[in-house]
Amino acid sequence: MLNELKKRVCNLNKGLQKNNLVVMTSGNVSARDETTGYIVIKPSGMPYEQLTPEKMVVVDSEGNIIEGDVAPSVDTETHLFIYRKRKDIAGIVHTHSNYATSFAALGKSIPPVITSVADIFGGPVPVGPYVPVGGKEIGEAIVNHIGDSSGILMKQHGVFTIGKDPEGAFKSAVVLEDIAKTVHLALLKGTPEELTEEQIDKANQYYQHQYGQR
């Protein structure tokens, strides 16, 4: 079971680079195994080209290494805190993708001016406060400010997305960057009108319950 999860996490980490969401060794994807509760996460500072399923690190809920002979991501404590507080999720993605992080740099949320913001995030993409990286404190800030959204911008840092599985968190990260780019371009031309709460709710309900194969 863990071997299959390692493959998924490895492929999704590589997908961050393929989708231009990270540069060099930044960013990470993790996933929680439903059976053991163990977390599979990208190793620290390892180039994406060198990643293999065997190099993924498995830790327990306290960060003790269960499998792996390399150090796990420096964001491991952040991921673990979120998993401990949010039993409903099993995947977390962290990136510094350009357009989304430009909003984070300004400490501004991404407004719901297009339906895809409502579809995926159910409203404005929230922004959390500045918190020093690499510890449980940023995990605590994420939990306290993300609300019902599947993504959050952390001020002057970057992007975190969550999901019921790592693929869901990955999708939110990819879509969030695309949304941020579109909203950025719209703001260059003027002041786009935000969707109303009724429009947001209707769009979100439609997407969540009717879009795709059932």
Side-chain angles (χ1 to χ4, degrees), residues 12-162:
L12 291 170
N13 272 289
K14 287 177 175 289
L16 296 181
Q17 188 179 58
K18 291 177 182 177
N19 284 274
N20 299 312
L21 301 183
V22 296
V23 296
M24 299 301 289
T25 61
S26 70
N28 41 70
V29 178
S30 73
R32 173 163 49 193
D33 178 58
E34 294 182 3
T35 302
T36 63
Y38 293 156
I39 309 302
V40 179
I41 194 166
K42 170 180 171 284
S44 177
M46 186 172 291
Y48 285 87
E49 296 82 2
Q50 296 178 16
L51 295 182
T52 64
E54 293 73 26
K55 289 179 180 177
M56 297 299 103
V57 185
V58 180
V59 299
D60 65 15
S61 61
E62 299 303 318
N64 300 304
I65 295 178
I66 304 301
E67 294 182 16
D69 55 7
V70 294
S73 168
V74 294
D75 293 312
T76 298
E77 276 196 68
T78 298
H79 287 239
L80 293 179
F81 184 91
I82 298 170
Y83 284 124
R84 287 195 294 267
K85 297 297 182 178
R86 291 290 302 268
K87 303 300 184 183
D88 57 317
I89 68 169
I92 299 172
V93 173
H94 172 46
T95 80
H96 301 147
S97 57
N98 296 137
Y99 285 95
T101 302
S102 73
F103 282 87
L106 295 169
K108 292 185 176 181
S109 64
I110 299 177
V113 296
I114 51 178
T115 56
S116 52
V117 182
D119 293 344
I120 304 295
F121 303 99
V125 179
V127 60
Y130 173 77
V131 183
V133 303
K136 67 178 183 179
E137 291 79 12
I138 192 167
E140 184 175 10
I142 290 167
V143 170
N144 289 340
H145 291 86
I146 197 169
D148 294 328
S149 177
S150 62
I152 187 170
L153 311 173
M154 295 306 293
K155 186 178 180 182
Q156 296 174 297
H157 182 191
V159 178
F160 284 85
T161 57
I162 59 177

